Amino acid sequence: MPLLDRLDRELGEGAGLVAIFDYDGTLTPLVSTPEAAVLAPSVRATLARLARSERVRLAILSGRGLSDLKARVALNDVVYGGCHGLEIAGRDLRFRHPRARAADIAATRRELADALPAVPGARLEYKGLAVTLHYRGVRPERWSRVQEIASSVLRRRRTVTVIQGHRIFDFMPRVGWNKGQAARWMVRRMASTLPRGRVVVLYAGDDNTDETAFAALRHRALTIRVGATPTAAQYSVQGVRDVQALLRRMASALAA
Ligand SMILES: [Mg+2]
């Protein structure tokens, strides 16, 4: 059944909704620098309508740092998950992974900073529970040098792991946590605050890191991958415009 029809059917008859969205590439188009990923006012307005609905619990889960993510979305009544869900805050929920040690990340940051002069154009972004090495600005012939630096830091720091994204290495505490685990945590907590009755769960994302959530929520959620990549999600949509159509449909079904 086409996605929007399925959504209409599932959301009929008073069901509640827990919806989790990735940010970059899902709610905002992919842009050449992370700073330029700005939420369109119309999308923010639709998200706000949804977030205000009694029947909806809305979350945004991203590899971005929690405060960066909050500032970009800037809506109340939303649950935010930063650093791939190592930190979660919003709507009276608060979580910080108990085994994630900020000191490990601070030490990783220092090691990376020491190595960075060897690769002009590379940049570090410190997010508290993660540190991101951005190498979009590095000349392609030096990318192997970036890889070597990342590998050597990882060899020395056994308590740290890395997630590779689009021209980034995201260094995080190695605590066995990912978007899938975080999404499950969020769904459990958010669903329990909805009025009694049937609860529809939805997760949409565009990245490999979102695949952990598609798998974790396989039997629980309507899962949507944005983009043409093979996926474990039940549905694929082409791009951010399709997500916007989805949001509008959800808002007209659920928001006053
Ligand atoms: Mg994304």
Side-chain angles (χ1 to χ4, degrees), residues 22 24-26 206-207 210:
D22 166 51
D24 294 83
T26 301
D206 75 310
D207 206 329
D210 296 303

Side-chain angles (χ1 to χ4, degrees), residues 21-28 30 61-63 179 204-210 226:
F21 291 90
D22 166 51
Y23 182 77
D24 294 83
T26 301
L27 294 176
T28 66
L30 283 178
L61 177 55
S62 168
K179 279 183 148 185
D206 75 310
D207 206 329
N208 284 343
T209 56
D210 296 303
V226 183

